[in-house]
Amino acid sequence: MASLRLEIVTPDQIVLSTDVDYVGAPGVDGEFGVLAGHIPLLTALSIGTLVYRTGNKDNYVFVAGGFFEVADNKISILAQAAELAENIDVERAEKAKARAEERLQQAKQQDGIDVARAEHAMKRALMRLQTARK
Ligand code: ATP
């Protein structure tokens, strides 16, 4: 079978560049999977966990939205932020979750809180924690 290349890039760094057998990603319209030989595709990612399989091993990566492109057996992901599961700072994510919880509580009694922003921060924190636990 033809090999499939996976590259994950953020504005700061190349997070991953490796050959894989399969990738499962959190699309804005739901989870989807890509194998070698996939037709060209360009889609948007949501905040969630990406899985890539090499042999029998599943590996997990947190992605915070961005673009997912498949062309010529290469997957290129440009994400706002992305971290390999083993590089996620769990304590930092717990603190981000607590801050977001506090803001969402405040929003119930006080105007001027950006609820959508707090909800996004909460989703990033929860998905980082979920990815790190895999
Ligand atoms: P925080 O409030 O802790 O900064 P955040 O969700 O606002 O969290 P992002 O804007 O998504 O952070 O990311 C900013 C940068 O910090 C990115 O480079 C991202 O990879 C990194 N980052 C954020 N949280 C973590 C974490 N828990 N572990 C590892 N890297 C993180």
Side-chain angles (χ1 to χ4, degrees), residues 20 45 75 106 119 125:
V20 298
L45 293 175
I75 298 171
Q106 279 173 2
E119 282 172 347

Side-chain angles (χ1 to χ4, degrees), residues 7-131:
E7 229 175 68
I8 305 178
V9 173
T10 68
D12 304 326
Q13 59 170 329
I14 297 170
V15 176
L16 187 69
S17 180
T18 188
D19 287 332
V20 298
D21 296 319
Y22 168 82
V23 173
V28 282
D29 297 319
E31 297 283 325
F32 64 94
V34 170
L35 293 162
H38 200 284
I39 56 165
L41 168 76
L42 175 62
T43 191
L45 293 175
S46 70
I47 298 167
T49 306
L50 176 140
V51 57
Y52 67 92
R53 190 169 303 143
T54 319
N56 290 327
K57 190 173 182 337
D58 281 348
N59 307 273
Y60 300 94
V61 186
F62 165 81
V63 287
F67 295 100
F68 183 110
E69 183 186 39
V70 187
D72 299 329
N73 281 321
K74 183 178 173 199
I75 298 171
S76 306
I77 296 175
L78 178 57
Q80 273 132 37
E83 296 115 40
L84 305 181
E86 59 268 32
N87 292 340
I88 293 173
D89 180 338
V90 170
E91 203 176 311
R92 177 172 170 177
E94 294 281 11
K95 285 183 181 157
K97 177 173 168 249
R99 279 198 306 277
E101 268 165 0
E102 202 176 311
R103 281 196 203 106
L104 290 170
Q105 272 303 321
Q106 279 173 2
K108 291 181 183 163
Q109 297 132 10
Q110 190 180 320
D111 289 339
I113 305 275
D114 188 339
V115 172
R117 185 175 164 185
E119 282 172 347
H120 274 98
M122 175 69 95
K123 181 138 198 231
R124 287 195 301 277
L126 291 174
M127 292 313 303
R128 279 187 170 109
L129 293 170
Q130 193 171 305
T131 307

